[in-house]
Structure formats: C-alpha cells, structure tokens
Amino acid sequence: MGAPPGYRPSAWVHLLHQLPRADFQLRPVPSGFAPRDQEYQQALLLVVALAGLGLGLSLVFIAVYLIRFCCCRPPEPPGAKSPPPGGGCITWSCIAALLVGCASIGIGFYGNSETSDGVSQLSSALLHANHTLSTTDYLVLETVERLDEAVRTELTTLEEVLAERMELVAAARGARRQAEAVAQQLQGLAFWQGVPLSPVQVAEDVSFMEEYRWLAYVLLLLLELLVCFFTLLGLAKQSKWLVAVMTTMSFLVLVLSWGSTGLEAATAMVSAFTGPDSFVLPQHEPGPRLTAYILNYYFLCNQAVSNPFQQRLTLSQRALANIHSQLQGLEREAVPQFPAAQKPLLSLEETLNVTEGNFHQLVALLHCRSLHKDYSAALRGLCEDAMEGLLFLLLFSLLSAGALATTLCSLPRAWALFPPSDDYEDTDDDDPFNPQESKRFVQWQSSI
C-alpha cells in the first residue's frame, strides 16, 4: 500500500528511514514496525545505549578535567592577590555556555509544544474514526433488526394470507430469502470487530501518557532555566555557596538531559518506523497499546472498506431493489384478491424505505473518505508534528548536555577566582576601633 491520499512522508521521515539500524550483534535490522521482534527491540535499546555512552563520556571528561585542575595547578606565590591570567576568559566561557543553555530551553519549549500538538491531532483522529465506526455499527444493527422483524412478522403474515395462491407464496418466500441474505451480509460488515483495539481507549491512553510527558518536560525545562539563572547570578555576585549548589544541580540536569536524549531518539525512530509501508498487524493478543498500532488499525480499515465491502453493499442494494419490485408486483396482483395482504405489504415497503436510507448512509460512511481523512490526520500528527517536535527536543537535549558539561568544567575555575570572604566584610566609619578612626584621633590629640 502506498502513501494514503493527503499524506506525504516528510524529509525527516525519509532521513530517519535511511539511518542504519542494528541489533546487539551489529546485524542490520529492517525498518518495518515490529515491536514484538527481538531484533527491533534491540535496535531501540542500542539507540538508548548511545545516549548512555554520551553521558558516560561526558562524566569521564568532566572528571579528568577537574582532577587535572585540582592536582596539576601550579602553586600561587605567597601574598599574591591578583587573579591568574586567563581568569576573565574562563568566566566568560562559562557565561557563554549558560546562554547557549538558555537558548536550548527555548528550543525545548517549542519542541514540547509541537509534540503535544501532534499527539492531540492523533487523538482527535482516533475519536473521529470511533464516531464513524460507532455510527456504522448503529446503522447496521438497526437495519438487521428491521429486516429480521420484517421476516418474522410481515412476510410470515403475507405467506399465510396468500396460501391459496402458490405462485404468490413463492414470490413472498423469494423476498424472504433475499431479506435474510441482506441481513446476513450486513452482519459481516463490522470488519473492525476482529481488531483487538478500541480507538476510544487508545486515544485516552495516548492522551494520558502525553499529559504526563508534557508536564515532565516542562518541569525539566524550568529546572534547567532556574539552574542557568542562579548560576549566572552566582557568577555576578561572586557567591561561592550559590555556585557550589548550582554545580551540584548542573550534574543532575546533565544526567536528565542525556536520559531524555535517549528517550527522544528512540521515540523518533519508532515514529519513523510507522510509515504507511511498514505495518505489522497483531495476530493474537492486543499487546502494548503503542500509538503505531492505531496506524495498523486504519490500515486494516482502509483495506476492508475497499472492493470486498463495497461489492457487498452494492449486492445488498440490488437485493433490496429486487425485493421492492417483487412487493410491488404482489401489491398489484394480490391486493385485489386478498385485501388483508395490503397492511403487511405497506409495512414492508416502509421497512424497505428506511433500509434503503440506511444503506445510503452506510455507503457514505464506508466510502473510504472519512476513514482516509482520519488516517491521513493521524499520520500527519504522528509523523510530521510529533516527529518534528521530538527532533527539536533532541536538539535541546544535546545543546543542554554540551552547555552543562562546559559549565561544569568552567565553574570550579571561576569559583577559584572569587575573592576571599574576608574582603567582603564592611567596616563602619563611626566605629571607634576602626584603624582609620584611631589614626585620626591620634592626629587630633597631637595638634592640641
């Protein structure tokens, strides 16, 4: 199946599809969406492991740098109070890294909003598709009940009234068989009953998870914003205790940034795997309710409402037209001889009119337009807006991790340049024990 009408995979989808995927043995893994396959799971874990590797390398680099700074620093000459050369460069490099971190926070807020919009579009498409299928269920149930009631009551009464004319009874029985065949065909229209998914339930699950994901990222962004702000404040005030606290917080945010990097990369790969050409339908049990299963659900609907079901609806409409013509023939021939046949015939015609109206609505609902529209909206929400948001979040995490690593390397050196706390002790000019005040007192006394 090609791309559905109204949807074209973006350049990001094609790019992510071209990225190599491998399992733990570094064997290539197909790009199809198969969450039950062990190789597919290993490919995602390998992506997450790359983020863990980045975190480990960052911590090793920071540790080596700090050990070198603490152990290999040349001793300062006694009584030296001037800062060593290059101190201003260290401070400004730390400030520049913090400003890059602030810029990454803006990128993160934008990516978080885009991801939320894409998931909301996916949930809306699911709810609209559920409304379409629920309406179809209602129409099918109503039509089948009307036809069964007509077979049990009106057609049975008509056969009893026309018992004296076997050719008329044969015509009534032919209408009965056709009505039963139409009801049986309608009962097979509910193709979605075999899919172990509920669009409403999955939409609620997706919305629930998205709400907590959005909140977690907002808290992470605000935490990093506070760390950057108070670190800048500590550098401006030359407050050693504030810089020390923010150094500890920067370590925590660095770990969270690398953790979110692995999660975002894996989720972006999953979104890229769920293109219209990479469906694997669940065969036995429902399994995890991943958002990509919904695209499989739409895929099944698109396949089902094509030729077989359209042919079934067309044959049923023809059968209803034949029943209608047979009843009109019975009305012309039987009513003059059997006046009691007029009432069941009129009731049958009313039932057929209502049934034909339901069939027109079913044709409109199952003509692929509505479901294709929902299918395209779900793909655009997941593979365009949500994926774009995830890529911006990935950029935020990488910039944030780089900025925090640079800050953690710069803060100890900037901290060492701060003047001692004794230099900040203010003296009171009116204090008589002030050395300056004592000197002025001695000069005044000698002048007397």
Side-chain angles (χ1 to χ4, degrees):
M1 176 183 174
Y7 170 76
R8 291 183 179 180
S10 62
W12 292 113
V13 174
H14 290 293
L15 178 62
L16 291 177
H17 267 289
Q18 298 301 322
L19 292 178
R21 288 165 290 273
D23 56 9
F24 291 161
Q25 287 76 31
L26 299 182
R27 294 175 299 186
V29 176
S31 61
F33 178 74
R36 296 177 181 274
D37 293 347
Q38 185 178 4
E39 292 80 8
Y40 180 90
Q41 298 173 0
Q42 291 180 359
L44 294 182
L45 291 177
L46 191 60
V47 172
V48 178
L50 292 177
L53 179 62
L55 173 61
L57 292 177
S58 299
L59 295 179
V60 169
F61 174 78
I62 294 172
V64 171
Y65 183 87
L66 294 180
I67 291 174
R68 181 178 178 274
F69 169 72
C70 296
C71 300
C72 303
R73 185 172 56 178
E76 297 182 359
K81 294 185 178 180
S82 61
C89 180
I90 293 296
T91 303
W92 282 108
S93 65
C94 183
I95 294 175
L98 291 173
L99 292 178
V100 171
C102 294
S104 69
I105 292 172
I107 296 174
F109 273 110
Y110 175 77
N112 196 32
S113 177
E114 284 293 306
T115 305
S116 180
D117 292 342
V119 175
S120 298
Q121 186 175 355
L122 173 64
S123 300
S124 298
L126 289 175
L127 295 176
H128 190 270
N130 181 77
H131 175 71
T132 300
L133 299 180
S134 300
T135 305
T136 304
D137 272 335
Y138 173 75
L139 290 174
V140 169
L141 180 61
E142 181 186 11
T143 304
V144 170
E145 288 180 352
R146 284 182 175 273
L147 290 175
D148 290 341
E149 183 68 19
V151 169
R152 289 195 306 268
T153 58
E154 283 86 356
L155 285 173
T156 302
T157 303
L158 189 60
E159 291 179 9
E160 294 175 355
V161 172
L162 303 177
E164 298 179 3
R165 296 280 302 274
M166 295 304 299
E167 65 277 10
L168 298 179
V169 173
R173 289 178 179 176
R176 173 197 288 270
R177 287 193 297 269
Q178 289 184 352
E180 291 175 348
V182 170
Q184 185 177 2
Q185 289 181 355
L186 284 177
Q187 290 177 350
L189 270 181
F191 53 86
W192 51 90
Q193 299 297 336
V195 182
L197 287 173
S198 171
V200 174
Q201 183 62 40
V202 179
E204 292 177 354
D205 293 344
V206 170
S207 299
F208 178 79
M209 291 186 294
E210 171 58 23
E211 181 179 357
Y212 282 94
R213 186 210 64 81
W214 178 86
L215 180 60
Y217 269 99
V218 168
L219 294 177
L220 175 61
L221 291 167
L222 292 178
L223 177 61
E224 183 169 353
L225 182 62
L226 292 176
V227 169
C228 293
F229 174 76
F230 283 107
T231 304
L232 290 173
L233 182 63
L235 291 175
K237 295 290 186 179
Q238 295 187 346
S239 175
K240 292 187 175 182
W241 71 269
L242 186 57
V243 170
V245 172
M246 289 303 106
T247 301
T248 306
M249 295 299 297
S250 297
F251 270 108
L252 173 62
V253 179
L254 178 65
V255 174
L256 294 177
S257 297
W258 277 113
S260 63
T261 300
L263 179 63
E264 293 148 7
T267 308
M269 297 293 283
V270 169
S271 300
F273 290 166
T274 57
D277 297 320
S278 59
F279 291 104
V280 178
L281 290 174
Q283 299 295 331
H284 302 291
E285 55 188 79
R289 294 184 178 275
L290 296 174
T291 56
Y293 272 110
I294 302 308
L295 303 182
N296 295 333
Y297 185 87
Y298 282 127
F299 177 75
L300 179 62
C301 293
N302 288 328
Q303 293 292 325
V305 298
S306 56
N307 293 330
F309 287 91
Q310 293 295 328
Q311 292 177 1
R312 181 174 295 184
L313 286 175
T314 302
L315 293 176
S316 299
Q317 285 181 310
R318 291 177 182 176
L320 286 178
N322 292 334
I323 295 173
H324 207 298
S325 61
Q326 290 177 3
L327 293 180
Q328 288 179 349
L330 284 175
E331 186 176 3
R332 288 193 303 268
E333 297 182 11
V335 170
Q337 300 180 17
F338 305 96
Q342 185 174 7
K343 183 176 179 180
L345 285 173
L346 292 176
S347 179
L348 283 172
E349 289 181 357
E350 181 181 358
T351 300
L352 289 178
N353 291 333
V354 175
T355 302
E356 288 180 354
N358 290 345
F359 263 90
H360 288 299
Q361 296 184 44
L362 286 173
V363 170
L365 289 173
L366 299 179
H367 200 260
C368 297
R369 295 177 182 176
S370 179
L371 290 176
H372 272 151
K373 183 178 178 180
D374 297 333
Y375 182 45
S376 301
L379 281 174
R380 286 194 300 269
L382 182 63
C383 298
E384 289 184 6
D385 295 341
M387 180 179 292
E388 181 182 354
L390 285 173
L391 292 176
F392 275 103
L393 287 175
L394 181 61
L395 178 61
F396 147 73
S397 298
L398 292 175
L399 290 177
S400 174
L404 290 172
T406 305
T407 302
L408 287 171
C409 292
S410 303
L411 281 179
R413 302 196 63 173
W415 186 84
L417 298 176
F418 293 168
S421 58
D422 295 339
D423 294 348
Y424 287 97
E425 293 182 359
D426 297 328
T427 58
D428 190 0
D429 294 338
D430 297 332
D431 188 2
F433 298 99
N434 187 356
Q436 297 295 333
E437 189 67 24
S438 300
K439 183 177 181 181
R440 286 196 296 268
F441 176 77
V442 172
Q443 292 176 355
W444 174 77
Q445 188 178 17
S446 63
S447 63
I448 296 176

